[in-house]
Amino acid sequence: MKLSCPKCKSNIEIQKTFNKKIHISCNGCGIEDLLEFRKNVDEVFLEFLTRFDEGLVSEKGTSDSLKDEGIVRAESEIKEMIGNEKPDKITESILYTKKDYVSQYKILKNPEPKMGCSIEDVGLDESITEYLKKIGIEQFYRFQEESIQEILFGENIVIEAPTASGKTEAFLIPVIQKIRKEAGDSPSVFAVFVYPTKALSRDQYPKIQKFAEKIGVKVEVFDGDTKQSERREILENPPQIIVTNFDVLHYHLLHQSKFSSLLSTIKILVVDETHVYSGIFGSNVHYIIKRLKRTCNNKIQFVAASATLENAQDYCEKLFGVKMNLIQGSGKKGKTDFVMLFPSLRTQRSLMVDLTKKMTEQNHKTMVFNNSHLNSELLAIQARKQKVNIKVHRAGLMANYRKSVERDFKEDVLSAISCTPTLELGIDVGNVDCVISSTIPVNRMIQRIGRAARKGQRGYAFLALGNDQISQYYKNHPDDYFEDIERTYIDPKNPFVEEFQVLAMACDKPISKHELKEHQEVIDKHLKEGNLVLLNNRIIPNLDKIGSMLSDYSIRGIGKSIDIFLNDSKVGDRILPIALEELHKDAIYFLAGTRYRVKEFDYPKKNYARLERIPRDYPYYTKALTEEWPTIETVFEKRKAFGVEVAFCKLHIEKKVFGYVNIELGQEVTQGQKVLLDYPLEYDFVTKGIVFHAPMPLQEMRQAEDEEYTAASGYHATEHVVIEGSNMITGGVSQDLGGISLGTSGLIFIYDGAIGGNGASKALYDRFEKALERSMFIVKECPCKNEAGCPRCTFSYRCGNNNEFLHKRSALEILQRINQGEETELVDPTEGDRPLV
């Protein structure tokens, strides 16, 4: 039923605010009011009419109550924020919105990059200099000059610079120079350029080839898509530069193929987009580089190219296992309007859809970055309902579909892409005017912004804060966003990675008795189990025993996968244990903008899921209900954070998916109607994590009718806030973490979601004090009055308990006691404590 304005008879709009109030407004005459929340819309409207009759309704501009509640900014505050800047009309209309709180507006201006020497002053081969002049380059940027000189001197370097800043030229030119000087026309591989994905290496190859062939240097791509005829040509007439990825290097080293023998001559390894090799993938890459060193006849020179990172040099030195010099460059000259918006009167997704619609209506090509597969799919579904010409691009979709999306966008057939971080890398999708992003660390936001306005036009960038803890914090502390630079992490001592990679080393080349002493314990274990065999003082693999182990292993994640089928065709896969939560019987699964129901799930025998179609207007998606139990196996480190004892340890996690909830599409409510599975799904794994003993919320317990519920719910809420709220401090790792609070014991476990560990919990352990301090402010500053809290303080969209058993005030007391230095010691878990996840 449409409700009419009492003043002008236009339609009235009624919206729930982020802090559980009701905002009523008229688009016709502009009157508006803010009322206490009620479920019954008729009651709300009657109260509004009464207040209008009494003259209590604001008739122009933003009402004082909206400003006081922190729902929108006053116009005077927006003007002050704009200052002397001159936003264009579209930015101005977004800044003066009455649906969102503008946390920050600034024009990001890249200064003129520092210039270096003339191209003739570096001592390059004449053919290189002539070609550079031909393509209009007369002078290098300073960081390019430094990179060229350091690489020519034989140094290992890290080039840290934003997207589209000239990184490729900074390493390509000196590599070609070294080939001309040292290799001449020798038919052997001199350098290998590695990219994180096939798509990106194929995207960069033409640019590299075009430059190299003009200087007489041969370049080829070698990956899973290289045709047999092309492979034969590469093996018979090796190029001087090979473009590939680490999956290919791993496979061919492992199988001692003809291609692996080509790698024995390399002198330079260039790894572009190095910041991508985080977590399990990075830990495996560390060992593949180590294996390459073992099998190569030369000492390899390493060049890493990376986006901006807080710890680029330390991280790269750990990844490559050598000392490296850091060279930093700046981005292109240009201006980008940057707006940080907090959705006060709507959901994050509806804000992002609205921004996408506004920008595409003005013919601004737009990339929308989401933080998960699910969100990229949901956003595209809602945007298409608003007549936006948009498609999804994410991992898990077939490669040919992703390529068609890239092509359509590049050729202006498509106005917008709803994507995950897969398109954060340098894949060329043509001209981009606008970037819209959900909450991510600032350095990755800058990387995404680097996509916009590469041709010098004005760019637009919108950070859409969300319905979560860290967004609530940045709403009130926007300047902190620009301080929270991501830390990239790897864990080379992941026991599963180390054990597998030691087997791989033996497959690459027999291990002599005097080498790899740092892995002696693992080697001895494999010898004892018969995976390795000692023969003539050399350690070799027992291929009959370890063959299936080698073929099942993925360097991008540990654990088996569930294959996904639709109409008997494989359409994707999902790794365990997350597959249990997304693909259980009757789960709703998203694929390329369409929802399907899981009609059959075979686990643990055959490991597959079969999908079936559902009506387009089906109103729900699903979220799993889980139980977990942790056991401490080994304590690696212990320390005090304020007064609380915290340990970094090896954990055994027993996980059970026992049901699911149906959640209505378009709602950001993270609770739903429970459905129990006939047969719970179980999985257990070993990982790394932290455990700490939180103090008791004695004050809240004394006032409560049920002391045990108040304590357990407070600890559960604390676990949620520490994981979600510390996200940006630890470099956006919360998606890699799981959590368990054990009943009333006060024991809270936060662990790596990857089997064996990925370094995420260690990043939290190292910055734990800052995480605890920020968590306290998140709960303290959230205006909600609910006992359980809300999505912006205590709720978690990953909660396996349907966001039940949460107590906001109890969590605040616990966090205040921690920050005030209350002392605790770790205790053993008590049998019977209920685990809350």
Side-chain angles (χ1 to χ4, degrees), residues 157-253:
I157 66 164
V158 182
I159 306 168
E160 184 190 63
T163 305
S165 57
K167 279 199 299 278
T168 302
E169 290 77 9
F171 61 72
L172 179 60
I173 291 167
V175 168
I176 289 175
Q177 170 68 18
K178 290 191 87 160
I179 290 170
R180 296 290 294 168
K181 187 178 177 184
E182 298 176 28
D185 298 321
S186 169
S188 62
V189 179
F190 187 92
V192 173
F193 290 8
V194 184
Y195 291 88
T197 62
K198 275 192 299 187
L200 186 57
S201 60
R202 292 267 168 185
D203 187 78
Q204 293 295 302
Y205 168 62
K207 179 180 180 180
I208 295 164
Q209 185 194 36
K210 186 178 179 183
F211 194 114
E213 70 180 3
K214 299 291 183 185
I215 320 298
V217 171
K218 189 178 175 188
V219 184
E220 296 291 349
V221 175
F222 193 99
D223 61 24
D225 293 341
T226 304
K227 294 173 185 171
Q228 282 300 327
S229 58
E230 294 168 343
R231 288 178 181 228
R232 275 196 302 274
E233 174 62 24
I234 288 169
L235 294 173
E236 289 168 11
N237 300 294
Q240 289 135 321
I241 297 175
I242 279 180
V243 179
T244 189
N245 57 65
F246 278 112
D247 304 80
V248 169
L249 297 182
H250 162 66
Y251 177 87
H252 287 276
L253 287 171

Side-chain angles (χ1 to χ4, degrees), residues 117 121-122 144-155 170 174:
C117 65
D121 295 340
V122 188
Q144 290 176 326
E145 178 195 342
E146 291 172 359
S147 300
I148 291 166
Q149 289 176 339
E150 291 281 292
I151 292 170
L152 293 178
F153 288 151
E155 298 290 339

Side-chain angles (χ1 to χ4, degrees), residues 85 163 256 379 631 794:
E85 304 293 356
T163 305
Q256 293 188 25
L379 186 134
T631 304
T794 58

